[in-house]
Structure formats: C-alpha cells, structure tokens
C-alpha cells in the first residue's frame, strides 16, 4: 500500500482546494483503510471552502485536509486487531464522526458526540482521494447489492433526511398531512421515507418546477410552489378537520419557510428545522407556536440512521439520483453544485480512473 495518491485538499483556509499528491494512508491499530469508489459532494463543502479561519479552528479543524464526507468503496487494508471486516468488502463510510464511548454515543445519540465536530472531510482527511482512513470499523456499513460508486450519498444527505423523518414519525397520524419544504437532495429522500414509513399525505413545497415534478415522480401526493403567509391556510384546507399538518420538515430554513412551516403545524404536531439557511423565528409562546407541539433543530444523523437508509435502498424502497463526475472533473462538479440546477446529488467516481 506504500506510495502516493491524488487527493482534493484544502491546503490553507480561504484558498480554493487543489488536487495534490499525498501518501496513501496506512491503517493504525483498530483502523481500516478503504479504497474509495465514489464520494458525494455536499453544499457544506462549499461553505467550508469559505469559512473563516477562526470558526474552523474553534471546531478543531486542521489544514491541510482532504474534502469529501459521502464516501463508499472497498476495504483495502486492516489495522491490527480488526476482525469485523475483510479486504475487498464493499462498504459505505458513516458520514458523521463519533467516539463510541461518551454518554451520547452509548445512548445511540452519536450525532451529538462532542468529538464529532471534526471528522472525515471536515477538518480531517475525507473521501475525495483514492484511499481514506477510517478510525474504527463501527464507521463502516457493509453493502450488499448497492453500487459503492454511488452509495456514499446515502450516508449524509440520505441519513440526515432520515433522522428528521424518524423524529417526526411519532406525531404522524394515519391519513394526516406531512409537509416537506424544499425538494432538493435531502427533501427528495425525506418524502420517499415518509411514503414508506407512514400512511400520511405528503405535500411538497418547492419554488422550482423541475423539483416539484421529480417529487411527484418519487411519490409526493401534492407539490405546491407557494410559500408565504397563505401557506398555512392551504395546508389546513388539505388536512382532515382543517387542523393543519401533523409534521412539517423544513429543508430550507429561511425566515419565511420557518414562519410558514410553524403556522401550518397542527396542535400536537412537529416542526423540524433541518435547512441551514440561518432563518429566525420571532414568536410569542402562546399564539404563534403549535400547542403541545414539538420543535426540533438539525442534528445530522446517527450511525443507526445510516444503516437504516442503506437497508431501505437495498430493498429498492428509495431512489438515489446522482450525477457522476470523474476525479479530474472535481472542480467542475463543485462549480455545477454551486450554480444549482443539478438533477441529482453530484458524485465523484474514482473507480473509473
Ligand atoms: Zn454534508
Ligand atoms: Zn461520543
């Protein structure tokens, strides 16, 4: 395994990433090295490229590091003591990092692990390279049937959307209305989970006509373009008794989507803020918020979420739309992602090289 490989790395804060040669990682005791088949690109990568140095350093991130946190491939080398996987196993790499030992990890809330602030692709070496080192086999999910070149997106976009859906499911009643605001990468996964896990009427709100059409193809019952002061009324009119939505999942997160989403949530319903647009809600507790409602904020996903999503995909229950690029096109792939208009998640395939 000795030798060098190409990697797409942030070399210094505030400078565009570059393809450079780095040593192929060797697995230490308990570690696994994975040969990367493909790595999905995430909007948060674009944010990292411009993040102020102070923020990155406060998160414990170190430059240089290789980008990419939606990785899948094949086990290439095992560190001393690793017996739970074998060379050649096709695997997806869990996206968020966690220690496995703290009180959060023990409770299965590894998405809240304090050691997860830095991880593969954000402050540590990630998957936009020929090989990636994984600190423990608990970060690997064995694939049976899924193509490792494109399965990586399920571990981040797929799992984060799943976490949000899993949180709201207890508030969803048979035949109730569930609203998905934003039918991009995460929202289009969320609506598919809702169709499989509940009997709710799934209403998608997106200003983009193409995304609305795709949402209907993926199983949404309704797709509307309108978001604003009258949204709540529209949603109430669709719900039994005019009560409003059992749950609203906001994958956008602006002031207006939050206000409209909260207003559309029925008493006893749930509102999930997952989109990272940085919106705020100015609301008095009595009239503006749903009585006995549950409101929760973005918290990534757990290892168990990623396992469940991979199993749903293997069962053929969800569609994972991707647009593939070669490693030589990684810069272009990020430019396309930034420009918007991609039909599926951008994935850099390394195995074709
Ligand atoms: Zn991401
Ligand atoms: Zn932990």
């Amino acid at each position: 395994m000795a030798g060098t490989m190409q990697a797409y790395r942030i070399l210094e804060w505030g400078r565009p990433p570059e393809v450079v040669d780095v040593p192929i990682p060797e697995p230490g005791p308990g570690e696994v090295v994975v040969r990367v088949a493909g790595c999905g690109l995430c909007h948060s990568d674009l944010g990292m490229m411009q993040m102020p140095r102070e923020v990155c350093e406060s998160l414990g991130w170190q430059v240089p590091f290789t980008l990419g946190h939606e990785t899948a491939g094949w086990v290439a080398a095992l560190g001393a003591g690793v017996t739970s996987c074998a060379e050649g196993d096709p695997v997806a790499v869990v996206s968020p990092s966690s220690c496995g030992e703290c009180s959060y990890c023990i409770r299965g809330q590894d998405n809240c692990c304090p050691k997860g602030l830095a991880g593969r692709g954000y402050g540590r070496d990630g998957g936009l390279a020929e090989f990636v080192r994984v600190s423990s086999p608990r970060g690997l999910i064995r694939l049976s049937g899924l193509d490792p070149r494109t399965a990586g997106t399920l571990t981040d976009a797929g799992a984060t959307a799943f976490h949000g859906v899993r949180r709201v499911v207890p508030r969803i009643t048979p035949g109730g209305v569930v609203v998905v605001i934003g039918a991009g990468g995460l929202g289009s996964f969320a609506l598919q989970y809702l169709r499989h896990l509940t009997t709710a009427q799934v209403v998608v709100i997106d200003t983009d006509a193409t995304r609305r059409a795709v949402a209907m193809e993926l199983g949404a019952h309704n797709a509307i373009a309108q978001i604003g002061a009258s949204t709540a009324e529209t949603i109430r009119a669709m719900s039994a008794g005019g009560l409003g939505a059992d749950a609203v999942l906001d994958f956008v997160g602006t002031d207006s989507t939050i206000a409209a989403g909260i207003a559309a949530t029925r008493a006893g319903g749930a509102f999930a803020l997952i989109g990272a647009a940085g919106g705020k809600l100015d609301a008095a507790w009595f009239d503006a918020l749903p009585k006995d409602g549950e409101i929760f904020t973005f918290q990534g996903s757990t290892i168990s979420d990623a396992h469940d999503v991979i199993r749903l995909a293997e069962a053929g229950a969800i569609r994972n739309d991707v647009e593939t690029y070669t490693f030589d096109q990684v810069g272009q792939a990020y430019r396309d992602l930034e420009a918007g208009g991609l039909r599926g998640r951008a994935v850099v395939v390394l195995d074709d090289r």
Side-chain angles (χ1 to χ4, degrees):
M1 288 271 295
T4 60
M5 63 175 185
Q6 288 192 301
Y8 189 67
R9 286 163 80 76
I10 292 188
L11 300 174
E12 266 178 57
W13 300 124
R15 223 175 81 190
E18 285 173 41
V19 174
V20 291
D21 282 336
V22 294
I24 293 174
E26 298 281 344
E31 296 179 340
V32 177
V33 168
V34 171
R35 179 160 73 86
V36 178
C39 183
L41 309 187
C42 179
H43 264 281
S44 66
D45 298 338
L46 297 169
M48 283 176 220
M49 295 177 195
Q50 284 143 26
M51 217 138 84
R53 167 194 297 264
E54 313 78 69
V55 178
C56 302
E57 286 175 351
S58 73
L59 295 169
W61 295 4
Q62 294 158 354
V63 279
F65 72 88
T66 303
L67 279 166
H69 58 265
E70 297 193 345
T71 315
W74 299 272
V75 171
L78 305 175
V82 178
T83 54
S84 57
C85 55
E87 251 177 69
D89 282 354
V91 287
V93 180
V94 170
S95 182
S97 288
S98 57
C99 73
E101 291 168 359
C102 72
S103 61
Y104 286 115
C105 285
I106 286 165
R107 287 161 191 256
Q109 292 179 303
D110 42 276
N111 56 322
C112 297
C113 176
K115 294 204 173 137
L117 291 174
R120 284 176 298 275
Y122 45 104
R124 303 285 183 271
D125 287 343
L128 281 173
E130 290 162 70
F131 295 90
V132 64
R133 178 167 37 204
V134 179
S135 55
S136 158
R138 62 190 277 282
L140 299 177
I141 303 171
R142 204 192 140 87
L143 299 173
S144 30
L146 292 182
D147 185 344
R149 290 176 301 172
T150 53
T153 57
L154 297 167
T155 64
D156 179 36
T160 302
F162 188 79
H163 189 80
V165 169
R166 186 163 68 77
R167 289 285 308 270
V168 301
V169 159
R171 300 275 172 153
I172 298 175
T173 55
V177 168
V178 178
V179 178
V180 173
I181 302 176
L186 274 70
S188 56
F189 278 122
L191 79 90
Q192 298 183 76
Y193 304 143
L194 287 162
R195 287 306 316 273
H196 282 282
L197 303 178
T198 77
T199 56
Q201 295 291 305
V202 179
V203 180
V204 163
I205 305 181
D206 199 299
T207 51
D208 184 285
T210 309
R211 285 207 291 263
R212 288 199 301 276
V214 173
M216 293 301 288
E217 229 177 272
L218 292 174
H221 295 93
N222 246 303
I224 56 182
Q226 164 206 46
I227 186 84
S230 56
T231 304
E233 209 177 299
T234 307
I235 298 300
R236 276 196 292 272
M238 291 175 175
S239 66
L243 300 177
D246 287 359
V248 176
L249 293 135
D250 183 356
F251 290 98
V252 180
T254 59
D255 288 2
S256 71
T257 60
I258 295 170
I262 295 262
T265 304
R266 68 164 171 78
F271 174 81
L273 173 60
I274 299 157
K280 293 188 178 65
L281 177 72
D282 180 14
W285 73 276
F286 186 70
D287 352 283
L289 300 175
K291 184 182 181 189
D292 197 26
E294 186 172 42
I295 292 175
F296 67 89
T297 54
F298 164 77
Q299 272 305 332
S301 60
T302 64
I303 295 176
S304 109
D305 291 326
H307 276 268
D308 286 354
V309 168
I310 298 279
R311 300 289 93 94
L312 279 169
E314 283 174 348
I318 52 170
R319 210 170 88 185
N320 176 25
D321 288 344
V322 298
E323 306 230 1
T324 57
Y325 294 83
T326 64
F327 186 73
D328 300 323
Q329 296 170 321
V330 60
Q332 186 59 47
Y334 275 116
R335 284 191 289 280
D336 291 351
L337 175 65
E338 191 158 30
L342 287 177
R343 281 288 301 261
R345 197 87 170 157
V347 172
V348 171
V349 171
L350 285 101
D351 187 44
D352 287 350
R353 303 186 77 226

